[in-house]
Amino acid sequence: MIVVLKPNPDKKQLESFKQWLSSKNIKVHKSEGINTTILGLIGDTTQIDIDSIEALDIVETVKRIQEPYKNSSRKFHPEDTVISVRGATIGGENLTLIAGPCSVESKEQVCEIAKAVAASGATVLRGGAFKPRTSPYAFQGLKAQGIDYLIKAREITGLPIVTEIMDISQLPLFEEIDIIQVGARNMQNFELLKKLGTLKKPVLLKRGLSATYEEILMSAEYIMAGGNKEVILCERGIRTFETHTRNTMDITAIPVLKKLTHLPILVDPSHATGKADLVAPLSKAAVASGVDGLLIEVHNDPEHALSDGPQSINLESFDKLSKTLFAIHKVIQE
Ligand code: PEP
Ligand code: MN
């Protein structure tokens, strides 16, 4: 971190700033010019709040040289993180397809979809039991019963299950869940992230509607700092000025995040676009861009889905798409 001081800084204030840095085990390298003095801070500055330094009377500007995220940074962990859960592998050389309905609606529905997507190459089943809906009057999910149905679908197919948690109070119901999803709206629910950091269970962290790359990595950092290193990131579209699609899929996120972090990166083309006919082209683009996996909403009867029917693809479309995706993945591996 580099701190540029204002001309003629108050000596007392400068001394107390240096003492404070030293109490944080940060060494200071002072470089004095004719008009400007620059302090180079040497040591672990991840815990230093840049805003509180900038607010000091003696400080002109502050610049971070090192990323504020350490656990998730590729600099400190060059190899890809590979997460294994009940035989499914996420990260590394693999392309992982996670598929299933937006919401679990009944035992029959989720079991039928699970069997079909497993036969088509999906290795993880998704399904919402607790649903974050924009309207309080919309279907809110089957809650505990939905989780029971997911477990039933796992018993039948062997697929590990991922489902979204919306609040810490729901955690006791997630004991049997293989991967806990944190939705876009909760990406910065720091208390929830901290709690998930104490678990020994992978967390699928979705990018917030207007979150920067650094913000999602800092959210991952909350989980990892607690000891849970199994975090999977998911680009699911961000808010832009475009209204034609539900969100705008940020394809750039894939190569950029791959460079910044060792954590697996997924793309959710369903929430990114809100339109079933855009799921295939964007999934192909994501695989071509080096994504580690896709999270796709698949329904056995999209027209009658209780949530997100318009963006859900049917079983046949998923079967066809998965073949193409594995073929593209094979080409880009070569
Ligand atoms: C979901 O995956 O069901 C979901 C609600 O996603 P997001 O948090 O990305 O909106
Ligand atoms: Mn959905």
Side-chain angles (χ1 to χ4, degrees), residues 20-325:
W20 178 78
L21 289 168
S22 152
S23 75
K24 303 265 174 210
N25 288 325
I26 309 277
K27 289 201 178 89
V28 177
H29 179 269
K30 195 170 167 190
S31 154
E32 240 163 326
I34 298 172
N35 298 313
T36 317
T37 305
I38 294 173
L39 305 181
L41 309 194
I42 304 151
D44 180 9
T45 55
T46 48
Q47 285 165 39
I48 303 282
D49 176 17
I50 197 162
D51 295 331
S52 62
I53 297 185
E54 216 145 30
L56 296 175
D57 274 348
I58 54 169
V59 172
E60 185 77 55
T61 52
V62 186
K63 192 165 166 41
R64 241 187 221 292
I65 305 296
Q66 216 175 53
E67 304 88 357
Y69 43 89
K70 235 189 179 142
N71 282 288
S72 56
S73 170
R74 206 180 262 286
K75 269 193 198 152
F76 301 101
H77 188 297
E79 318 80 42
D80 287 340
T81 283
V82 180
I83 295 171
S84 297
V85 48
R86 280 185 199 265
T89 323
I90 307 168
E93 306 280 280
N94 307 283
L95 176 69
T96 309
L97 299 187
I98 303 178
C102 176
S103 301
V104 177
E105 299 171 11
S106 68
K107 189 162 70 184
E108 293 68 31
Q109 174 241 22
V110 74
C111 290
E112 185 188 333
I113 297 171
K115 281 190 263 179
V117 297
S120 300
T123 50
V124 182
L125 174 67
R126 67 145 286 147
F130 293 92
K131 293 306 303 175
R133 306 302 301 281
T134 303
S135 165
Y137 309 116
F139 177 58
Q140 303 284 307
L142 295 181
K143 306 183 174 79
Q145 197 175 46
I147 289 189
D148 288 346
Y149 294 160
L150 282 168
I151 294 169
K152 190 81 205 155
R154 179 177 68 198
E155 274 167 24
I156 294 172
T157 59
L159 291 183
I161 47 186
V162 55
T163 195
E164 177 171 354
I165 192 167
M166 284 171 54
D167 190 80
I168 298 179
S169 62
Q170 295 159 353
L171 199 53
L173 292 170
F174 282 67
E175 237 160 69
E176 279 285 311
I177 297 301
D178 301 300
I179 304 174
I180 301 183
Q181 177 171 323
V182 175
R185 292 153 191 85
N186 264 316
M187 191 205 83
Q188 287 190 320
N189 181 339
F190 299 121
E191 291 308 312
L192 177 62
L193 301 178
K194 278 191 245 175
K195 185 73 196 170
L196 297 178
T198 65
L199 307 183
K200 282 197 172 66
K201 217 184 256 290
V203 176
L204 195 167
L205 178 65
K206 297 188 94 176
R207 182 179 181 190
L209 272 67
S210 60
T212 63
Y213 302 146
E214 185 166 303
E215 282 166 341
I216 188 175
L217 291 171
M218 291 308 286
S219 290
E221 202 67 20
Y222 262 93
I223 301 167
M224 298 176 87
N228 186 354
K229 308 290 186 211
E230 300 205 310
V231 180
I232 304 153
L233 305 177
C234 182
E235 157 60 30
R236 45 78 70 206
I238 49 170
R239 272 280 161 84
T240 66
F241 51 81
E242 183 54 69
T243 55
H244 184 78
T245 47
R246 185 174 178 179
N247 293 291
T248 296
M249 191 171 116
D250 177 15
I251 198 111
T252 316
I254 304 165
V256 173
L257 288 172
K258 292 291 294 178
K259 206 188 264 180
L260 297 177
T261 181
H262 53 87
L263 298 173
I265 318 290
L266 305 181
V267 153
D268 168 351
S270 313
H271 290 90
T273 63
K275 294 185 175 179
D277 65 330
L278 297 179
V279 168
L282 291 183
S283 298
K284 293 177 203 169
V287 176
S289 304
V291 85
D292 295 301
L294 289 147
L295 181 72
I296 302 180
E297 286 188 341
V298 180
H299 201 284
N300 54 348
D301 184 7
E303 277 179 29
H304 296 102
L306 295 184
S307 62
D308 286 348
Q311 68 191 33
S312 301
I313 59 171
N314 62 28
L315 305 177
E316 296 74 36
S317 304
F318 180 72
D319 188 57
K320 189 165 167 248
L321 176 60
S322 80
K323 290 188 176 77
T324 312
L325 298 180

